[in-house]
Amino acid sequence: MDKDASERRVVIGVDGSQSSYEALRWGVRYAGLVGGTVEAVAVWELPGLYGWSAPAVDMDVDEDETRQKMDQELVDVLGTDAAGSVRTRVVHGNPADVLLRAAEGAEVLVVGSRGRGGFARALLGSVSQHVSQHARCPVVIVRCEKE
């Protein structure tokens, strides 16, 4: 990723979970403190997509739907003004891999402690655990108060 080295990017993984909303709030506050820019990244993937048969869905529709949901979630969580200052990216792929690539050269990667698919008793979700072990920048894992 060819990012300006002087730019203090705060990359935040957003997946529609309460934990990711807390991560979004934390990341926006942190970016304000350090004079950074916020890049919210939503990742979508289709289970079983890479099998022997072609996908039975329109991949453009899924990406558009993910983008629309993300835009609405940003407004719901941050309000219209703050949401307008957040750069957004919607990427197809494995969530941990996409977030690691997006965070290359970033000031920090911020993720929720558990995503939408986590077990209720799990301390960390698989994505947050993976990025914490493999990111080349600091990683902040934000817990949701309701956990």
Side-chain angles (χ1 to χ4, degrees), residues 29-46:
R29 283 191 307 269
Y30 179 80
L33 292 172
V34 300
T37 60
V38 176
E39 183 176 315
V41 179
V43 183
W44 65 278
E45 66 178 337
L46 299 172

Side-chain angles (χ1 to χ4, degrees), residues 98-143:
V98 169
L99 289 173
L100 288 171
R101 282 194 310 273
E104 289 178 10
E107 172 90 4
V108 66
L109 171 60
V110 185
V111 293
S113 60
R114 269 202 330 261
R116 293 171 49 199
F119 291 101
R121 293 186 344 209
L123 200 56
L124 287 179
S126 59
V127 172
S128 58
Q129 186 171 21
H130 186 84
V131 299
S132 72
Q133 295 172 351
H134 298 283
R136 295 185 180 184
C137 66
V139 176
V140 175
I141 300 173
V142 181
R143 288 183 56 99

Side-chain angles (χ1 to χ4, degrees), residues 47-105:
L49 176 64
Y50 301 106
W52 56 270
S53 64
V57 296
D58 183 348
M59 291 182 62
D60 291 332
V61 171
D62 290 322
E63 182 175 356
D64 291 342
E65 182 179 326
T66 301
R67 188 174 308 283
Q68 289 171 359
K69 285 181 181 178
M70 180 181 191
D71 290 343
Q72 185 59 52
E73 287 173 357
L74 290 176
V75 170
D76 292 347
V77 173
L78 301 173
T80 305
D81 292 339
S85 68
V86 174
R87 296 179 194 170
T88 60
R89 291 181 53 204
V90 175
V91 181
H92 176 260
N94 174 277
D97 293 341
V98 169
L99 289 173
L100 288 171
R101 282 194 310 273
E104 289 178 10

Side-chain angles (χ1 to χ4, degrees), residues 1-7 9 39 87 89 102 104-106:
M1 308 229 152
D2 52 321
K3 302 291 181 189
D4 178 3
S6 65
E7 180 183 47
R9 281 186 316 120
E39 183 176 315
R87 296 179 194 170
R89 291 181 53 204
E104 289 178 10

